[in-house]
Amino acid sequence: MKLSIYFKKFFESSQSSGVLLILCVALALGIANSSLAENFQNFLDQEIGLNLFHLKYPVSIWINDGLMAIFFLLVGLEIKREIVEGELSSFKNASLPIFAAIGGMIVPAIIYTAFNYGTDHSNGWGIPMATDIAFSLAIISMLGKKVPNAIKIFLAALAIVDDLGAILVIAIFYTEQIHWMYIFLSLGVSALLFLLNYFKVTKIIFYLIPGLFLWYFLHHSGIHATIAGVVLAFSIPTNISTTEISPLEKLEHQLHFPVGFFIMPIFALTNTNITFTNGMVDGLFSGLGLGIVCGLVLGKLIGINLFSWIAIKFKVSSLPQNSSWTQMLGVGLLAGIGFTMSIFIALLSFKGEIQIQDEAKFAILIASFIAAISGYVILNLSSSKTMEIEDEED
């Protein structure tokens, strides 16, 4: 009986999902550098699905474009709820993540370019622009009540805006061909979803089915399909100041467990299987390595906080409730966790150049590790008094 209660508490804790994610990272790195590496990679490259609807893809694509769209759906639901009735309901609060994300994309790109201008690596300027939303939220969730809810929401909103920006960068600068027919079909389905919301349709199934078509069309358009999860989330109806549970809240509740304890661990397991090779360490001290590490760690930290400070200084935005600039520094560092999107851009930047891709992957791994540890430490050491104030208000 005691054991079942223990596991119930474990699975209900957001901190536990973060621990599980880190264990999966360690397991993936162990597999990638063992005799199992080739078999594991062959499994990820194995194609499954139906040729009939052009839906036969490697396992890794189903995870990164399929399962992660569900993760983006959950985060999108949480962001929408906060915009409607929570921390982001005022313009000053809602605008800050946008300004922060813009700074967090521009400054890293400038730093990378400074190290690589005029070299064969100059095309990789988009690598340090991206924040890995899954890992950054997992790290901050491990801090529990030591961090104000407003800071967690700020990071989630910042990461979504950041990822949308990275998706646009990929679509405009790194995608060989955009299929406009699928873009227009995606816009049509998006319009349908928001019409359903406008006419107050509350059955979730009537949103999920068009959402599947939206994912399909976006995936075939050449744009990263995870954006479908965000669009779908913002179309799901919610309510303001009522005791009745909204469709958004129902779906959000249903998704928490599978996302935290299934989707995110699988995502970590399949995206951090980096095999260490000769020359990786030396590559850290090249223009490529320094551009990526400094871009992700320093660029994100400086860009997010500089643009946030400017927005607050001119009274366009305000700091997240009960937060401090020390905690903002911690968030700026956590946003430097690049991983999947950064690796994806690296692969697009240096197609066919395996050695350069490996050096870029290793630099992303090191930068993400530095950002995660330093961000966690700063947030953990920051004053807990803000949480005491928040608890008193609740």
Side-chain angles (χ1 to χ4, degrees):
M1 184 68 178
K2 289 183 179 179
L3 188 63
S4 63
I5 293 173
Y6 173 80
F7 275 106
K8 182 180 179 182
K9 288 183 178 179
F10 176 87
F11 284 118
E12 286 177 349
S13 171
S14 59
Q15 295 173 314
S16 303
S17 62
V19 172
L20 183 59
L21 201 66
I22 291 172
L23 291 175
C24 285
V25 171
L27 178 60
L29 290 172
I31 291 173
N33 293 278
S34 71
S35 58
L36 298 172
E38 185 176 352
N39 289 334
F40 186 60
Q41 189 59 50
N42 289 338
F43 167 72
L44 294 179
D45 293 337
Q46 179 68 41
E47 292 191 345
I48 58 174
L50 299 172
N51 279 323
L52 178 63
F53 299 105
H54 304 288
L55 280 174
K56 192 169 186 179
Y57 299 112
V59 171
S60 59
I61 296 295
W62 281 112
I63 293 169
N64 290 337
D65 286 17
L67 289 182
M68 284 307 289
I70 301 173
F71 170 79
F72 271 79
L73 170 60
L74 174 60
V75 176
L77 291 170
E78 293 178 342
I79 295 297
K80 179 179 178 179
R81 176 169 49 78
E82 293 299 329
I83 289 174
V84 172
E85 55 180 319
E87 300 288 348
L88 302 177
S89 56
S90 72
F91 176 80
K92 281 194 171 185
N93 289 341
S95 63
L96 188 64
I98 298 173
F99 287 109
I102 292 171
M105 290 185 283
I106 291 175
V107 176
I110 291 173
I111 289 177
Y112 179 92
T113 302
F115 279 104
N116 294 278
Y117 182 76
T119 70
D120 294 337
H121 302 149
S122 59
N123 194 45
W125 57 269
I127 296 172
M129 293 176 69
T131 294
D132 193 301
I133 186 171
F135 282 102
S136 59
L137 293 184
I139 296 297
I140 202 169
S141 73
M142 293 175 64
L143 290 159
K145 289 190 174 183
K146 291 181 180 179
V147 177
N149 289 330
I151 280 286
K152 297 175 185 177
I153 294 161
F154 169 76
L155 176 60
L158 159 67
I160 280 191
V161 176
D162 190 298
D163 271 13
L164 292 178
I167 289 168
L168 286 176
V169 166
I170 291 169
I172 296 170
F173 297 101
Y174 292 100
T175 300
E176 294 178 357
Q177 185 178 6
I178 294 289
H179 300 282
W180 290 102
M181 181 188 75
Y182 286 111
I183 293 289
F184 290 125
L185 287 171
S186 300
L187 291 173
V189 175
S190 299
L192 172 62
L193 285 167
F194 285 100
L195 277 174
L196 291 171
N197 183 300
Y198 178 79
F199 287 111
K200 302 187 185 305
V201 176
T202 57
K203 291 281 187 180
I204 293 177
I205 189 66
F206 291 121
Y207 293 90
L208 295 182
I209 292 175
L212 290 173
F213 281 94
L214 177 61
W215 180 91
Y216 177 86
F217 293 144
L218 278 173
H219 192 272
H220 285 78
S221 72
I223 295 177
H224 208 274
T226 50
I227 194 175
V230 179
V231 175
L232 175 59
F234 275 75
S235 70
I236 303 291
T238 187
N239 47 40
I240 304 174
S241 301
T242 177
T243 56
E244 183 182 354
I245 299 176
S246 68
L248 182 148
E249 291 165 328
K250 286 180 183 177
L251 185 58
E252 184 183 351
H253 177 73
Q254 291 167 352
L255 289 176
H256 267 291
F257 183 86
V259 166
F261 294 93
F262 177 70
I263 292 175
M264 289 176 66
I266 288 178
F267 168 80
L269 195 61
T270 57
N271 283 281
T272 55
N273 60 322
I274 299 172
T275 302
F276 301 133
T277 59
N278 293 330
M280 275 187 166
V281 175
D282 293 336
L284 283 177
F285 302 98
S286 66
L288 173 67
L290 290 172
I292 291 173
V293 174
C294 293
L296 281 171
V297 179
L298 296 178
K300 286 289 186 183
L301 174 66
I302 295 168
I304 287 170
N305 283 278
L306 176 61
F307 276 58
S308 295
W309 181 83
I310 292 171
I312 292 169
K313 182 71 174 177
F314 286 94
K315 299 182 179 180
V316 178
S317 307
S318 60
L319 270 178
Q321 187 179 16
N322 298 326
S323 65
S324 66
W325 280 108
T326 303
Q327 291 165 334
M328 289 288 286
L329 291 175
V331 168
L333 285 165
L334 288 187
I337 301 174
F339 273 128
T340 310
M341 194 65 79
S342 292
I343 289 174
F344 182 54
I345 296 175
L347 296 177
L348 294 175
S349 301
F350 309 115
K351 285 184 177 179
E353 301 177 78
I354 304 300
Q355 183 177 348
I356 296 176
Q357 288 179 351
D358 286 343
E359 289 179 6
K361 285 181 182 179
F362 187 64
I364 292 165
L365 177 65
I366 295 300
S368 298
F369 180 78
I370 294 171
I373 296 296
S374 54
Y376 179 90
V377 169
I378 287 178
L379 286 170
N380 191 43
L381 293 177
S382 63
S383 175
S384 60
K385 290 182 180 179
T386 54
M387 284 311 303
E388 292 174 7
I389 296 171
E390 189 173 84
D391 290 338
E392 288 175 5
E393 291 178 353
D394 292 341

